Structure formats: structure tokens, C-alpha cells
Amino acid sequence: MGAARTSDRGRRRAVPWVMLGLWIVVLAIASPFSSKLADVQRDRAVDYLPASADSTQVAKIQDQLPGGETTQMVVVYQRDGGLTEADRATAAGQIEEIAGAHRLVAEPVGVPSKDGSTLMYPVASNEPGTDEKARDELVNAVRDVAKGQDGLSVEVGGEGALATDASEVYNSLDGPLLYTTVAVVALLLILIYRSPFLWLVPLVVAGVANYLSMGVAYGLNQWFGTSVSGQSSGIMTILVFGAGTDYALLLVSRYREELRRIERPYEAMVAALRGCGPAVLASSGTVAAGLLCLLAADLNSSRGMGPLGTVGVLCALVAMLTLLPAVLVLLGRRVFWPLIPRYGSTPKARRSLFAAMGSSAGRRPVAVLVGGGVLLGALALGTFNLPGNLKQEDSFTSKPDAVAAMETLAAAYPERGTQAISVITPADRAAATLAEIRDTEGVDSAEQGRSGGGWAEISVIAKNAPQSAGETATIEDLRDRLDGSYVGGPSAEQIDLKDTNARDRLIVVPIVLVSVLLILIALLRSVVAPLILVVAVVAVWGAALGIGGLVFEPLFGFEGTDPGLGLLSFVFLVALGVDYGIFLMHRMREESLNGAEPDVAALTALRTTGGVIASAGLVLAATFAVLTNMPMVQLVELGFVIAVGVLLDTFLVRTYLVTSASVALRRKVWWPGALSKEPEHPVPPKEPERMTAAAH
């Protein structure tokens, strides 16, 4: 008997070490791939577009033309009060030097502004082809030559320069994004755990999960062609640390509780995993399913974010349910110092904030429910104040050289376009297409460029400024008139982004709602409770977007809204919001199964899980808020809306509205499941199991 106990004890001691060893092997295998993720990241506008878009077809055919894809730049010379002859000579000399050093598509010809203050030279080169690194080197080489002096300002703009500036911003995100996220999570964990050691454990495990997710994401790109962008890889990192820390909070809270009941850490961890594991698995599965719905999107950037976000959540889940328990067991009770949970002890009783909040919701549930609904509806009205679609030059929170050049061009040449529209047409119809283009209203000029492989390229300049309503009308008119031809270029790409996002919203949103609803029905064995959760998260999404509409332009000074903001924020808020709903409803159902009356079950669930959910919500909101410190407007807007939505969901919807609805509906909340029926033989309710808040 004693030998058996000794053997069993030895096995239990070995399990954590075996798990630790397995993770070391996994990381060793993933390491060569994790470091390569940045190499496959693509952030050109055309890389975000669907294959069916006109502008995508233009880019593909341009790659096949002699010289490959063309990098378009505009060198802008400007002096307040007017250019001098010396300025024009300087400009001509610099352009000649650029033409001598690089293979240009055509000889640059200067175009003076009407007021004589500005001179622009369109510069186009197919020297780098489709190599983004070579493109950046070309743009920087042109900038090294085009220098201002003695009051003469020189700026390099155009599609190629803008792409280079965007690429530099995205490439600079990885380090600051990771470091800031780690710092924010570390600070919150220190405040929550009040321990000098414990916060390090989930943070290190989240870092391991992030490293693994990078390797898996690279594998998806290589094996299945999953697109990887700076935005999607950044969001993946946020999800790993945000969701992973949430799962850690739930597990550590339950583990601390079990350590007071069970003497040995190994057995306590087994009990903790049995207690909170199903809820964590269900919630992470729901988040993953919601994110995978993005595979139905036509936009490459959105479709790629679905698998990458799912990889982040699942890697966090696996790490927190395997590596974290192993490390905690090996470290023993001392990791909780100075608040060590002693065997046989009881947590210090204190007034519960969530008990007080639940009581207020329980006294007048209908009034609280109506009041909360009116508040969310009022906030959602702010969506009408969202600024229009974001233009390329407004995508940066600072002003890089390419954006400054575009602003200078817009002020100096208000009467004409300064950015080429590319038309690809069958070579045997090039002359007729060129004549048709020149006859189109809104076209200032058109010139035939390269030809090859049965296609010809025509460069078109519109009469209106880039991405203005007039230029948009010209592009749409060209697409209507030119059968068999493709119309692309930077402005056309933005139109395709907007149209594709609108289409994706109509397709993806219903799929997400139906998928999440079906999963919740299966998990909660009810129709009413899942409907409450889904309606609640949709209301949160509308309110969070509305708050964005109230602050984006007036407070942040943003000139536009990213076309993909509505879809991406919806998917993330629905998936993550339902995540917390599962924690609450799972405990509510557990209390009901133990014989508690519906209103008592709802209030007990809030009291026992409120602290953990609040801590998790704060961490998740804080990790997404990190994006508001990034230099891209798209990331700032997405991070702001999701962070605000998570806070609304955590402290208003979960606390008051869902609880109030459950109290008001009583057993009907579980309709048509067995819990919706009055028991024939009432069972005395068991004393609810106490769940300490994560802060204990």
C-alpha cells in the first residue's frame, strides 16, 4: 500500500517536469519558423484586396509587363513666394542625377503650378519589380538625391513613397507593440495579484505562447497561403497576451481556492482544471469560431486575420492549460507570497462590490434593463458622427514625407490630379481604349505606356485631386465604359477596399451571429440565454462605435474612418464579449442545477465571478488599448473601439443588463431546457461554492 502511494506520488511529481520538457521540444521545433514571420508580412494595399478586384488584376498584369511592377513617385519642389531660376536649375539637375542612376519608365517632365510656387516631376521606375525591399531602397535613394536648400523645400511623394513610409511604420510596430503590451499586462498583474513573483509566471507563459503562435502563423502562410499583414500579426500578439492572461486569471483564481481545500499542489491543480477548464475551453472555442468566420470575407486582410487571430487564441489556451499549471505546481504555494493560501484556511471576508451591484440590479431588474438599453442606444447614435472613409494620406498619426508631398500637391494643383490611374487593356485594342479614355469626362490626360504578354498599360491623369469625389466618379466611369479592361492604381485600390468591406459586412456579420448563437445554444442548452448574450454584445458594439464617432474627429483629429473598422470591431467584440458571457452564464447554470432559485442563481453567479471577469476585462481592454499608441490611424481606431467595447461589456452589460434580464425572466431564461420548468419536488439549494476574486 505504501509502495503504491510512493509510486503514485512519484508519478505526480514527474508530470509537471514532463510537460515542461515537451514545451521545450515544441519551442525548439517552432523556433526556426517563428523568426521568419516578419519576412512574409505584406502591407501593400493590393495585398489586402481580393483577387477579383480590378486593381488587383492591374497589379498582377503589371508584374508580367516588361520590367515588372512600376514604382510611381512624385518629386515636389516648392518655395513660398515662387520658384527662382536657380531653384528650377537645382530641380533639373537632381532629376537628371536620379534618371542617370536608375532605370526609369520614361524621362521625367516637370509640371509647374499656376502660381509658380511649385514644380512637380513624376518619376516612375520598374527597377525594383515586385520586391518591397528593393522598392524601399529605390525610394530612399531618390530622397537622398532630392534635397532642399536655402528655402527650397523638396518632398518625395506618390504611391511608391507612400508604400515605403507605410512599410517602415508597420515594420517598426513589432518591437514597440510587444514591449508595450508586456509592460501593460505586467503592471495590471502586479496590481491584481499583489505579489512580487506570481505576475511573472502567466506573463512568461504568454510570451512563450506568442512565440509559438508566430511559428504556427508562418506555417499557415507557407502551407495554405494565408496572408500576413502588419495589422493581423499585431492583433495576434494582442490576442495572445489579452486572452491568455484572461485564462490565466481564471485558472489561478480557482487554483488558489483549491489550495485552501487540498493539501498537495498537484491535486489542487487537477481540481482547478476540472472546475474552470470546461468554461475556458468553451469560451476560447467560441472566440476561435467567431474569428474563423472571417474566412468568408473577400478581403485578403480580413480573411487572413481570422486564422491568425484563431492561432493566437488557441496557442494561448494550450499554454495556459498545460505549461502554466506545470510551472505553478513546480513552484508550489510559495509563488503566491506574501498572500500564500494556507491549507485549511478561509479567505478574509470583505464587502463585495459585485454583490452590491448585483443587489441593485436585482431589486429593480426591469428599470435597470430599460435604463441600460436606453444608454447604449443613445451612445450608438454617435455612429452618425463617424468621419468618412479614410484616405491614404490620412492613415498616419504623424506626417511622413510622402503625406507632406501629397498635401503640397493638393494645394498647388487643385485643378488637376497628381496621381496616375492605371488602365490595363488588351494590346490589340490599345489605340481604341486610349481614344475612349481621352473622351471620358474628368480625364485630363492619358498616355500609352508599356505593352507585353497581350496587354498594354495606359497612364491616366484625372482633372480632380486624388481620392476626391470627382476622381472617384472618373474611375467608376472608366470602369463602366472600358469593357475587357481593368482600372487600377492607388485611388482605385481605395475604392475596391471600401466596396469589398461593404460586401464582407453583409456576408460575415450574419455568419458570425448565427455561428456564435448556435454554439451558445449547445453550451447553455437554452435559446433565451444565448439570445440575451448576443443582443447584449451587438448593443455594446454599436455603443462603442458611437463613442468612436464622438471622439475620432473632434478629439483625435482623424480625418476619416477605416472601411474595415465596422466588420473587424464587430467580430472581435462579439467573440470576446460572448467569452465573458459564458463565464457568467456557466456559473449561473451551475447554481441553478444545485437547486438555487433563478434570481438567487443570477446574483450568486455575479458575486462569485464578478471579480475575475472584471480583472480579465481590464487586462483585455488594456492590451487592445496599446494599439491606440501606434502610428497608424487604422490601428488606433480599432484598438479604441474594442477597448471601450470590452469595458462597457465588463462593467455595464455583464454586471447590470445580463444579470437584470436573468432576474426578470427567472426560469424562462433557460427556455426550452429542463431548467426552465418548475421542479416537481423542490430540492433544498446547496450552499454556493465561494469563488474568490482574482485580486485575493
Side-chain angles (χ1 to χ4, degrees), residues 122-414:
V123 176
S125 172
N126 52 29
E127 186 175 272
T130 58
D131 189 329
E132 290 185 33
K133 183 178 179 181
R135 176 206 64 201
D136 296 344
E137 291 174 351
L138 170 66
V139 171
N140 290 326
V142 170
R143 284 173 169 168
D144 289 340
V145 174
K147 297 286 188 180
Q149 53 188 345
D150 300 327
L152 174 67
S153 68
V154 184
E155 298 160 339
V156 179
E159 177 188 5
L162 195 65
T164 292
D165 289 341
S167 177
E168 289 178 358
V169 168
Y170 274 118
N171 289 337
S172 69
L173 288 182
D174 292 344
L177 181 65
L178 178 61
Y179 304 146
T180 309
T181 302
V182 169
V184 167
V185 172
L187 177 61
L188 287 172
L189 287 176
I190 291 171
L191 294 174
I192 291 169
Y193 287 140
R194 291 176 289 166
S195 167
F197 308 113
L198 181 57
W199 64 274
L200 267 172
V201 180
L203 192 65
V204 170
V205 173
V208 170
N210 185 56
Y211 195 68
L212 175 62
S213 70
M214 293 168 62
V216 176
Y218 177 80
L220 289 178
N221 173 269
Q222 296 299 297
W223 298 327
F224 303 105
T226 303
S227 61
V228 179
S229 66
Q231 187 182 52
S232 62
S233 61
I235 294 295
M236 183 179 71
T237 295
I238 292 290
L239 282 172
V240 170
F241 280 91
T245 306
D246 282 1
Y247 303 148
L249 285 169
L250 291 165
L251 178 63
V252 172
S253 175
R254 191 63 177 254
Y255 177 52
R256 187 199 302 264
E257 182 180 342
E258 298 298 340
L259 282 172
R260 291 191 172 99
R261 298 192 309 107
I262 301 173
E263 183 178 2
R264 298 186 182 279
Y266 180 87
E267 284 86 353
M269 180 58 73
V270 171
L273 287 170
R274 286 174 179 166
C276 70
V280 171
L281 285 170
S283 60
S284 60
T286 305
V287 174
L291 293 177
L292 283 177
C293 291
L294 283 170
L295 287 171
D298 202 20
L299 201 64
N300 282 337
S301 56
S302 297
R303 190 167 63 248
M305 192 173 293
L308 260 65
T310 302
V311 164
V313 169
L314 294 183
C315 285
L317 171 72
V318 172
M320 294 304 168
L321 291 186
T322 58
L323 180 59
L324 178 63
V327 174
L328 288 175
V329 169
L330 290 173
L331 292 175
R333 295 175 187 270
R334 59 184 177 274
V335 74
F336 289 94
W337 187 88
L339 303 175
I340 298 176
R342 304 292 181 185
Y343 172 57
S345 65
T346 56
K348 182 180 177 181
R350 65 178 183 175
R351 182 177 175 82
S352 170
L353 170 65
F354 291 94
M357 297 171 77
S359 297
S360 64
R363 283 193 297 269
R364 303 181 65 183
V366 176
V368 170
L369 193 59
V370 172
V374 170
L375 174 60
L376 291 176
L379 290 174
L381 293 176
T383 55
F384 294 106
N385 196 49
L386 284 168
N389 287 319
L390 191 68
K391 296 181 179 179
Q392 280 181 303
E393 63 265 29
D394 298 326
S395 297
F396 304 88
T397 55
S398 58
K399 188 184 292 185
D401 193 42
V403 172
M406 294 176 74
E407 291 180 352
T408 301
L409 290 171
Y413 301 88

